Amino acid sequence: PPNFFVAFVRPDVRPVELLGILSHEMFHSWIMGRLAVAPSRGPSAPALDWFNEGVTEYLGRRALLEAGLIDSDQFVGMFNSDLRALADHPHATAPLEQAVAAAQQGRYGGDWKKLGYFRGALIGLVWDHQLRRRGGSLHQVVADLVAKARTKQAPLTEVELFQELEKAGIQARADVGRWIHAGSPIQLPPDVMGPGWAVTSAATPSWLPGFDLRQSFSSGVIAGVDPDGPAWQAGLRDGLTLVRTANAGRFTNGFRHDEPLTVVVLDQDDAELAVSYRAEGPRRDVPQITRSR
């Protein structure tokens, strides 16, 4: 069937999470579907993840808001989650060349891929804010791009994508040059969400599992537990057999910021023991969108 897709979700998926997945995947019938932009660096390069995944994510969220399926607080919360994720992300300020090198070396995993979602969603928010102030919208620009691709009956090039965005008044090449190619932090205008909202700074705990997740997953044995970290305080120790984890994928769709990290290990009697704790480290200032007073 046209636009058919299969989505696997966790059994306790929340309604807003499911709506977000469905709207994102349905928008792919436009972006990466009818509008298939050919990257200038070749098909394996991650140069367009910010657009293919991130702008898709933005448009999906905006569609849910305008359809009344989510409210403004939920809409804002999605971008605040992106901002927290970028604050925790090990590659948040990595230039594009590092991402390309990771892809070429087979290291372009989920954390790299999700970076395009976080950055691109914020880029979409900034651009749509600029367009709406002039009576337009990013939705309309993308619809026009889809129509152009349909007329051309071939993928648009990356150069054509930038040209069309700039015709609409977006400084696309300059913005992408700063935020994607150079890896500079995306600065949100104070009024990016419109009246009643403001971009502020909030002291937010960093995400700190307190043990070496990668090595522990690889070996099946808990390793690298920091004696000063939250895992140690919760009772986790090096050498315990790892059975499974929950909420350990910081940069996955299933991660929930408001739930603890759970590590299931085998105790001395080979019985399963669940260790749950808040994977929180030192606080740092993170941009957040809040209701203005």
mmCIF file of all heavy atoms in Angstrom, residues 192-226:
data_model
loop_
_atom_site.group_PDB
_atom_site.id
_atom_site.type_symbol
_atom_site.label_atom_id
_atom_site.label_comp_id
_atom_site.label_asym_id
_atom_site.label_seq_id
_atom_site.Cartn_x
_atom_site.Cartn_y
_atom_site.Cartn_z
ATOM 1 N N VAL A 192 11.315 32.381 20.039
ATOM 2 C CA VAL A 192 11.155 31.351 19.011
ATOM 3 C C VAL A 192 9.816 30.624 19.098
ATOM 4 O O VAL A 192 9.284 30.156 18.086
ATOM 5 C CB VAL A 192 12.329 30.353 19.067
ATOM 6 C CG1 VAL A 192 12.245 29.470 20.323
ATOM 7 C CG2 VAL A 192 12.389 29.500 17.807
ATOM 8 N N MET A 193 9.217 30.559 20.298
ATOM 9 C CA MET A 193 7.921 29.898 20.462
ATOM 10 C C MET A 193 6.754 30.877 20.420
ATOM 11 O O MET A 193 5.609 30.475 20.595
ATOM 12 C CB MET A 193 7.880 29.130 21.778
ATOM 13 C CG MET A 193 8.536 27.771 21.726
ATOM 14 S SD MET A 193 7.666 26.638 20.619
ATOM 15 C CE MET A 193 8.817 25.260 20.639
ATOM 16 N N GLY A 194 7.068 32.147 20.227
ATOM 17 C CA GLY A 194 6.001 33.122 20.146
ATOM 18 C C GLY A 194 5.620 33.708 21.499
ATOM 19 O O GLY A 194 6.275 33.455 22.515
ATOM 20 N N PRO A 195 4.541 34.494 21.537
ATOM 21 C CA PRO A 195 4.115 35.152 22.771
ATOM 22 C C PRO A 195 3.836 34.147 23.884
ATOM 23 O O PRO A 195 3.279 33.074 23.640
ATOM 24 C CB PRO A 195 2.830 35.877 22.356
ATOM 25 C CG PRO A 195 2.933 36.016 20.872
ATOM 26 C CD PRO A 195 3.676 34.810 20.387
ATOM 27 N N GLY A 196 4.247 34.532 25.090
ATOM 28 C CA GLY A 196 3.985 33.687 26.251
ATOM 29 C C GLY A 196 5.091 32.708 26.562
ATOM 30 O O GLY A 196 5.015 31.990 27.571
ATOM 31 N N TRP A 197 6.130 32.669 25.726
ATOM 32 C CA TRP A 197 7.240 31.745 25.935
ATOM 33 C C TRP A 197 8.558 32.500 25.859
ATOM 34 O O TRP A 197 8.659 33.519 25.187
ATOM 35 C CB TRP A 197 7.236 30.630 24.894
ATOM 36 C CG TRP A 197 6.019 29.760 24.926
ATOM 37 C CD1 TRP A 197 4.895 29.901 24.166
ATOM 38 C CD2 TRP A 197 5.796 28.630 25.762
ATOM 39 N NE1 TRP A 197 3.980 28.928 24.471
ATOM 40 C CE2 TRP A 197 4.508 28.121 25.457
ATOM 41 C CE3 TRP A 197 6.543 27.988 26.736
ATOM 42 C CZ2 TRP A 197 3.969 27.011 26.079
ATOM 43 C CZ3 TRP A 197 6.017 26.876 27.370
ATOM 44 C CH2 TRP A 197 4.751 26.388 27.050
ATOM 45 N N ALA A 198 9.569 31.986 26.543
ATOM 46 C CA ALA A 198 10.892 32.605 26.521
ATOM 47 C C ALA A 198 11.955 31.521 26.612
ATOM 48 O O ALA A 198 11.731 30.461 27.212
ATOM 49 C CB ALA A 198 11.043 33.589 27.678
ATOM 50 N N VAL A 199 13.094 31.772 25.997
ATOM 51 C CA VAL A 199 14.233 30.858 26.107
ATOM 52 C C VAL A 199 15.064 31.298 27.303
ATOM 53 O O VAL A 199 15.545 32.432 27.366
ATOM 54 C CB VAL A 199 15.095 30.880 24.830
ATOM 55 C CG1 VAL A 199 16.293 29.956 24.981
ATOM 56 C CG2 VAL A 199 14.257 30.468 23.619
ATOM 57 N N THR A 200 15.205 30.409 28.259
ATOM 58 C CA THR A 200 15.955 30.706 29.474
ATOM 59 C C THR A 200 17.055 29.656 29.651
ATOM 60 O O THR A 200 17.262 28.806 28.800
ATOM 61 C CB THR A 200 15.028 30.706 30.697
ATOM 62 O OG1 THR A 200 14.424 29.395 30.838
ATOM 63 C CG2 THR A 200 13.923 31.745 30.552
ATOM 64 N N SER A 201 17.742 29.726 30.772
ATOM 65 C CA SER A 201 18.782 28.753 31.101
ATOM 66 C C SER A 201 18.407 28.086 32.415
ATOM 67 O O SER A 201 18.022 28.761 33.375
ATOM 68 C CB SER A 201 20.141 29.450 31.214
ATOM 69 O OG SER A 201 21.156 28.526 31.499
ATOM 70 N N ALA A 202 18.503 26.764 32.460
ATOM 71 C CA ALA A 202 18.122 26.030 33.660
ATOM 72 C C ALA A 202 19.251 25.096 34.077
ATOM 73 O O ALA A 202 19.872 24.431 33.238
ATOM 74 C CB ALA A 202 16.846 25.225 33.409
ATOM 75 N N ALA A 203 19.522 25.035 35.373
ATOM 76 C CA ALA A 203 20.526 24.109 35.903
ATOM 77 C C ALA A 203 19.934 22.698 35.863
ATOM 78 O O ALA A 203 18.985 22.395 36.581
ATOM 79 C CB ALA A 203 20.908 24.500 37.321
ATOM 80 N N THR A 204 20.487 21.855 35.001
ATOM 81 C CA THR A 204 19.925 20.537 34.745
ATOM 82 C C THR A 204 20.982 19.463 34.990
ATOM 83 O O THR A 204 22.129 19.611 34.546
ATOM 84 C CB THR A 204 19.446 20.450 33.278
ATOM 85 O OG1 THR A 204 18.569 21.539 33.020
ATOM 86 C CG2 THR A 204 18.716 19.146 33.010
ATOM 87 N N PRO A 205 20.636 18.367 35.680
ATOM 88 C CA PRO A 205 21.626 17.300 35.899
ATOM 89 C C PRO A 205 22.074 16.671 34.585
ATOM 90 O O PRO A 205 21.273 16.470 33.665
ATOM 91 C CB PRO A 205 20.870 16.280 36.756
ATOM 92 C CG PRO A 205 19.697 17.012 37.323
ATOM 93 C CD PRO A 205 19.343 18.059 36.323
ATOM 94 N N SER A 206 23.350 16.382 34.476
ATOM 95 C CA SER A 206 23.856 15.654 33.322
ATOM 96 C C SER A 206 23.483 14.177 33.454
ATOM 97 O O SER A 206 23.191 13.690 34.551
ATOM 98 C CB SER A 206 25.373 15.800 33.232
ATOM 99 O OG SER A 206 25.986 15.363 34.438
ATOM 100 N N TRP A 207 23.465 13.474 32.328
ATOM 101 C CA TRP A 207 23.161 12.038 32.349
ATOM 102 C C TRP A 207 24.454 11.283 32.599
ATOM 103 O O TRP A 207 25.403 11.376 31.833
ATOM 104 C CB TRP A 207 22.534 11.598 31.036
ATOM 105 C CG TRP A 207 21.964 10.209 31.112
ATOM 106 C CD1 TRP A 207 20.824 9.834 31.748
ATOM 107 C CD2 TRP A 207 22.501 9.019 30.529
ATOM 108 N NE1 TRP A 207 20.622 8.476 31.599
ATOM 109 C CE2 TRP A 207 21.629 7.957 30.861
ATOM 110 C CE3 TRP A 207 23.636 8.752 29.755
ATOM 111 C CZ2 TRP A 207 21.868 6.639 30.448
ATOM 112 C CZ3 TRP A 207 23.879 7.453 29.345
ATOM 113 C CH2 TRP A 207 23.000 6.416 29.690
ATOM 114 N N LEU A 208 24.487 10.546 33.701
ATOM 115 C CA LEU A 208 25.710 9.862 34.118
ATOM 116 C C LEU A 208 25.360 8.471 34.625
ATOM 117 O O LEU A 208 24.930 8.315 35.774
ATOM 118 C CB LEU A 208 26.415 10.668 35.219
ATOM 119 C CG LEU A 208 27.746 10.107 35.719
ATOM 120 C CD1 LEU A 208 28.810 10.257 34.631
ATOM 121 C CD2 LEU A 208 28.187 10.828 36.988
ATOM 122 N N PRO A 209 25.528 7.422 33.802
ATOM 123 C CA PRO A 209 25.193 6.072 34.260
ATOM 124 C C PRO A 209 26.098 5.575 35.379
ATOM 125 O O PRO A 209 25.695 4.726 36.183
ATOM 126 C CB PRO A 209 25.338 5.221 32.999
ATOM 127 C CG PRO A 209 26.183 6.019 32.076
ATOM 128 C CD PRO A 209 25.929 7.460 32.393
ATOM 129 N N GLY A 210 27.322 6.076 35.436
ATOM 130 C CA GLY A 210 28.202 5.707 36.543
ATOM 131 C C GLY A 210 28.968 4.413 36.348
ATOM 132 O O GLY A 210 29.666 3.961 37.261
ATOM 133 N N PHE A 211 28.853 3.797 35.164
ATOM 134 C CA PHE A 211 29.684 2.639 34.829
ATOM 135 C C PHE A 211 29.862 2.607 33.321
ATOM 136 O O PHE A 211 29.203 3.355 32.590
ATOM 137 C CB PHE A 211 29.078 1.337 35.362
ATOM 138 C CG PHE A 211 27.824 0.876 34.661
ATOM 139 C CD1 PHE A 211 27.852 -0.174 33.752
ATOM 140 C CD2 PHE A 211 26.600 1.481 34.921
ATOM 141 C CE1 PHE A 211 26.693 -0.603 33.113
ATOM 142 C CE2 PHE A 211 25.436 1.051 34.280
ATOM 143 C CZ PHE A 211 25.486 0.012 33.364
ATOM 144 N N ASP A 212 30.755 1.766 32.841
ATOM 145 C CA ASP A 212 31.071 1.720 31.418
ATOM 146 C C ASP A 212 30.031 0.877 30.693
ATOM 147 O O ASP A 212 30.125 -0.356 30.668
ATOM 148 C CB ASP A 212 32.473 1.133 31.226
ATOM 149 C CG ASP A 212 32.991 1.313 29.800
ATOM 150 O OD1 ASP A 212 32.167 1.268 28.867
ATOM 151 O OD2 ASP A 212 34.210 1.487 29.637
ATOM 152 N N LEU A 213 29.036 1.551 30.104
ATOM 153 C CA LEU A 213 27.948 0.842 29.431
ATOM 154 C C LEU A 213 28.457 0.023 28.249
ATOM 155 O O LEU A 213 28.101 -1.152 28.092
ATOM 156 C CB LEU A 213 26.903 1.844 28.944
ATOM 157 C CG LEU A 213 25.884 2.353 29.963
ATOM 158 C CD1 LEU A 213 25.115 3.522 29.372
ATOM 159 C CD2 LEU A 213 24.919 1.242 30.357
ATOM 160 N N ARG A 214 29.287 0.627 27.416
ATOM 161 C CA ARG A 214 29.742 -0.045 26.200
ATOM 162 C C ARG A 214 30.522 -1.319 26.534
ATOM 163 O O ARG A 214 30.277 -2.393 25.965
ATOM 164 C CB ARG A 214 30.601 0.903 25.368
ATOM 165 C CG ARG A 214 30.947 0.361 23.992
ATOM 166 C CD ARG A 214 31.789 1.378 23.217
ATOM 167 N NE ARG A 214 31.071 2.615 22.989
ATOM 168 C CZ ARG A 214 30.228 2.799 21.978
ATOM 169 N NH1 ARG A 214 29.990 1.831 21.124
ATOM 170 N NH2 ARG A 214 29.624 3.967 21.825
ATOM 171 N N GLN A 215 31.469 -1.220 27.441
ATOM 172 C CA GLN A 215 32.274 -2.388 27.803
ATOM 173 C C GLN A 215 31.428 -3.448 28.495
ATOM 174 O O GLN A 215 31.597 -4.650 28.249
ATOM 175 C CB GLN A 215 33.433 -1.976 28.717
ATOM 176 C CG GLN A 215 34.377 -3.127 29.065
ATOM 177 C CD GLN A 215 35.544 -2.692 29.928
ATOM 178 O OE1 GLN A 215 35.838 -1.504 30.042
ATOM 179 N NE2 GLN A 215 36.210 -3.648 30.553
ATOM 180 N N SER A 216 30.489 -3.014 29.333
ATOM 181 C CA SER A 216 29.635 -3.965 30.051
ATOM 182 C C SER A 216 28.725 -4.720 29.095
ATOM 183 O O SER A 216 28.528 -5.932 29.215
ATOM 184 C CB SER A 216 28.801 -3.234 31.108
ATOM 185 O OG SER A 216 29.625 -2.586 32.054
ATOM 186 N N PHE A 217 28.159 -4.011 28.114
ATOM 187 C CA PHE A 217 27.322 -4.665 27.110
ATOM 188 C C PHE A 217 28.141 -5.654 26.287
ATOM 189 O O PHE A 217 27.679 -6.733 25.930
ATOM 190 C CB PHE A 217 26.683 -3.631 26.186
ATOM 191 C CG PHE A 217 25.577 -2.847 26.813
ATOM 192 C CD1 PHE A 217 25.308 -1.553 26.400
ATOM 193 C CD2 PHE A 217 24.794 -3.380 27.822
ATOM 194 C CE1 PHE A 217 24.286 -0.814 26.965
ATOM 195 C CE2 PHE A 217 23.768 -2.658 28.400
ATOM 196 C CZ PHE A 217 23.507 -1.368 27.972
ATOM 197 N N SER A 218 29.366 -5.246 25.952
ATOM 198 C CA SER A 218 30.210 -6.079 25.107
ATOM 199 C C SER A 218 30.637 -7.367 25.799
ATOM 200 O O SER A 218 30.625 -8.445 25.199
ATOM 201 C CB SER A 218 31.445 -5.284 24.674
ATOM 202 O OG SER A 218 32.337 -6.081 23.936
ATOM 203 N N SER A 219 30.986 -7.257 27.084
ATOM 204 C CA SER A 219 31.516 -8.416 27.815
ATOM 205 C C SER A 219 30.450 -9.198 28.578
ATOM 206 O O SER A 219 30.670 -10.354 28.945
ATOM 207 C CB SER A 219 32.581 -7.948 28.807
ATOM 208 O OG SER A 219 32.006 -7.128 29.823
ATOM 209 N N GLY A 220 29.293 -8.562 28.829
ATOM 210 C CA GLY A 220 28.263 -9.209 29.645
ATOM 211 C C GLY A 220 28.563 -9.167 31.121
ATOM 212 O O GLY A 220 27.914 -9.851 31.924
ATOM 213 N N VAL A 221 29.554 -8.364 31.492
ATOM 214 C CA VAL A 221 29.968 -8.239 32.891
ATOM 215 C C VAL A 221 30.072 -6.748 33.220
ATOM 216 O O VAL A 221 30.639 -5.967 32.442
ATOM 217 C CB VAL A 221 31.329 -8.934 33.131
ATOM 218 C CG1 VAL A 221 31.787 -8.721 34.576
ATOM 219 C CG2 VAL A 221 31.237 -10.420 32.815
ATOM 220 N N ILE A 222 29.543 -6.354 34.363
ATOM 221 C CA ILE A 222 29.604 -4.949 34.773
ATOM 222 C C ILE A 222 31.058 -4.517 34.928
ATOM 223 O O ILE A 222 31.860 -5.199 35.577
ATOM 224 C CB ILE A 222 28.847 -4.724 36.097
ATOM 225 C CG1 ILE A 222 27.371 -5.071 35.935
ATOM 226 C CG2 ILE A 222 29.004 -3.277 36.569
ATOM 227 C CD1 ILE A 222 26.628 -4.235 34.916
ATOM 228 N N ALA A 223 31.391 -3.382 34.328
ATOM 229 C CA ALA A 223 32.765 -2.885 34.371
ATOM 230 C C ALA A 223 32.758 -1.372 34.504
ATOM 231 O O ALA A 223 31.805 -0.702 34.114
ATOM 232 C CB ALA A 223 33.519 -3.302 33.108
ATOM 233 N N GLY A 224 33.838 -0.856 35.041
ATOM 234 C CA GLY A 224 34.049 0.587 35.085
ATOM 235 C C GLY A 224 33.144 1.340 36.043
ATOM 236 O O GLY A 224 32.854 2.522 35.817
ATOM 237 N N VAL A 225 32.698 0.703 37.126
ATOM 238 C CA VAL A 225 31.838 1.399 38.080
ATOM 239 C C VAL A 225 32.641 2.470 38.813
ATOM 240 O O VAL A 225 33.700 2.191 39.376
ATOM 241 C CB VAL A 225 31.221 0.417 39.105
ATOM 242 C CG1 VAL A 225 30.346 1.174 40.115
ATOM 243 C CG2 VAL A 225 30.405 -0.645 38.390
ATOM 244 N N ASP A 226 32.147 3.685 38.774
ATOM 245 C CA ASP A 226 32.805 4.824 39.418
ATOM 246 C C ASP A 226 32.417 4.842 40.894
ATOM 247 O O ASP A 226 31.229 4.976 41.219
ATOM 248 C CB ASP A 226 32.367 6.117 38.738
ATOM 249 C CG ASP A 226 33.010 7.346 39.343
ATOM 250 O OD1 ASP A 226 33.807 7.219 40.295
ATOM 251 O OD2 ASP A 226 32.701 8.460 38.865
#
